[in-house]
């Protein structure tokens, strides 16, 4: 059975000299995101080959939870700062039923 979960994977590559600020923003944002009722996971990974690159791995119960997340003050704070700290590529994905 396939679930309705929605996953967001964002590749964040810090702009020159901005990795510490990017990591601080992610650290500050994590507790609020993890406390959201529709959030199942909110993890950050750092690329071993390029420590300036972080992978943001989010999992929500459904698309509605993602929409609610985007309306929170902590997301709006993140969104207002991220472009000055990193190049960002985000993917919003849903599970594939493989049978």
């Amino acid at each position: 059975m396939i679930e309705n979960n929605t996953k967001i994977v964002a590749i964040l590559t810090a702009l020159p000299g901005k990795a510490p600020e990017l990591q601080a923003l992610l650290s500050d944002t994590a507790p609020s995101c993890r406390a959201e009722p529709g959030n199942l996971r909110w993890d950050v990974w750092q690329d071993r080959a390029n420590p300036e690159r972080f992978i943001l791995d989010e999992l929500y119960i459904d698309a509605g939870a993602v929409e609610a997340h985007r309306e929170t003050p902590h997301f709006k704070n993140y969104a207002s700062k991220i472009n000055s700290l990193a190049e960002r590529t985000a993917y919003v994905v849903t599970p594939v039923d493989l049978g």
Side-chain angles (χ1 to χ4, degrees):
M1 179 174 117
I2 194 96
E3 295 186 28
N4 293 324
N5 293 345
T6 299
K7 184 176 209 46
I8 299 172
V9 178
I11 313 301
L12 307 169
T13 303
L15 297 174
K18 298 291 186 175
E21 289 176 69
L22 174 58
Q23 188 167 351
L25 176 64
L26 295 169
S27 293
D28 291 346
T29 304
S32 296
C33 291
R34 289 175 174 160
E36 292 174 30
N39 181 271
L40 299 171
R41 289 190 73 99
W42 204 93
D43 297 318
V44 176
W45 301 80
Q46 190 171 27
D47 185 346
R48 288 183 183 180
N50 178 359
E52 306 288 305
R53 184 179 301 133
F54 298 84
I55 313 304
L56 177 54
D57 181 15
E58 304 173 62
L59 184 62
Y60 296 89
I61 59 171
D62 57 24
V66 174
E67 290 175 26
H69 164 69
R70 290 182 176 156
E71 294 302 318
T72 62
H74 52 271
F75 176 80
K76 290 179 179 183
N77 179 62
Y78 164 88
S80 74
K81 295 178 179 178
I82 193 61
N83 290 334
S84 67
L85 299 177
E87 291 181 14
R88 178 179 174 268
T89 303
Y91 304 94
V92 179
V93 298
T94 54
V96 174
D97 187 354
L98 300 176

